[in-house]
Amino acid sequence: MATFPSVTPTYSGFSKKSAPAVRTVRFADGFEQRIFFGLARNQNPKIYNLNFELSETDADVVEAFLDSRANDQESFTFTPPGEGFTKTGTYSQSGTTVTISITSHGVAVGDELTIDFTSGSAVDGVFVVVTSADSNTFTVTAAASATNSGNVSITLSGAKQFVCETWSKSIPFNDRASISATFRQVFEP
């Protein structure tokens, strides 16, 4: 899987759009029922409108990358600005349930985290958030049962799969270029 070139978009013109794919049934008495069709974690793709202010050489690299993805119809990995983070806190494990406490953790059920248990005897690895009780506590499931506790560091990479169906390049000055692109998140195995 290809990874987008290591360039950062500018914040002028940057936007993020969410459009959850929800089916709604409205009843005659005014009530309605809403439901995701398919896996809930795959029903809220993000769409980013990005601007890149680059040297013409870097813009050529980005344009060639996008042209290649248009030709092979493959998605690519991209980390949107401000989407990943690392935070520290504490954990306690009882059986296979690991409860992690971090003030304003910012994770959601289904997020995939890299977890480093910096003290205690829990095993580091990649875990999926199972529950999020509140903004300060969430749980993951360990591979083996144990009882321990200690300090923890979590990392949410923020990298996701995208396709880019439209982009434009302008050259406002000598050796400077601007690329405007729309990245749409896709869900693939």
Side-chain angles (χ1 to χ4, degrees), residues 16-182:
K16 175 181 176 181
K17 177 182 174 186
S18 296
V22 176
R23 304 255 171 122
T24 304
V25 177
R26 290 185 179 87
F27 301 100
D29 58 5
F31 287 98
E32 68 180 36
Q33 183 176 10
R34 293 160 306 283
I35 188 167
F36 283 120
F37 186 72
L39 298 173
R41 69 182 256 177
N42 296 349
Q43 297 307 311
N44 191 10
K46 308 300 184 212
I47 298 171
Y48 292 86
N49 290 314
L50 305 164
N51 290 316
F52 298 89
E53 303 293 333
L54 307 163
S55 69
E56 194 168 345
T57 303
D58 287 343
D60 289 344
V61 170
V62 169
E63 185 177 28
F65 178 86
L66 295 174
D67 285 341
S68 294
R69 298 299 69 77
N71 290 335
D72 64 18
Q73 292 298 298
E74 293 290 324
S75 64
F76 56 90
T77 303
F78 175 70
T79 303
E83 291 293 310
F85 59 79
T86 298
K87 295 184 179 183
T88 59
T90 60
Y91 78 95
S92 63
Q93 180 177 355
S94 178
T96 58
T97 300
V98 181
T99 302
I100 298 175
S101 298
I102 298 174
T103 303
S104 300
H105 57 68
V107 300
V109 173
D111 282 350
E112 192 172 273
L113 305 172
T114 301
I115 300 180
D116 178 13
F117 296 99
T118 55
S119 66
S121 59
V123 179
D124 299 344
V126 176
F127 297 84
V128 174
V129 176
V130 177
T131 66
S132 181
D134 56 41
S135 65
N136 301 320
T137 308
F138 65 93
T139 64
V140 297
T141 302
S145 184
T147 302
N148 59 69
S149 62
N151 297 320
V152 66
S153 174
I154 66 164
T155 301
L156 178 67
S157 78
K160 296 175 177 58
Q161 294 306 116
F162 290 91
V163 294
C164 180
E165 294 154 339
T166 62
W167 66 92
S168 63
K169 177 181 173 183
S170 62
I171 304 170
F173 306 104
N174 186 30
D175 196 36
R176 296 300 300 164
S178 177
I179 293 181
S180 296
T182 300

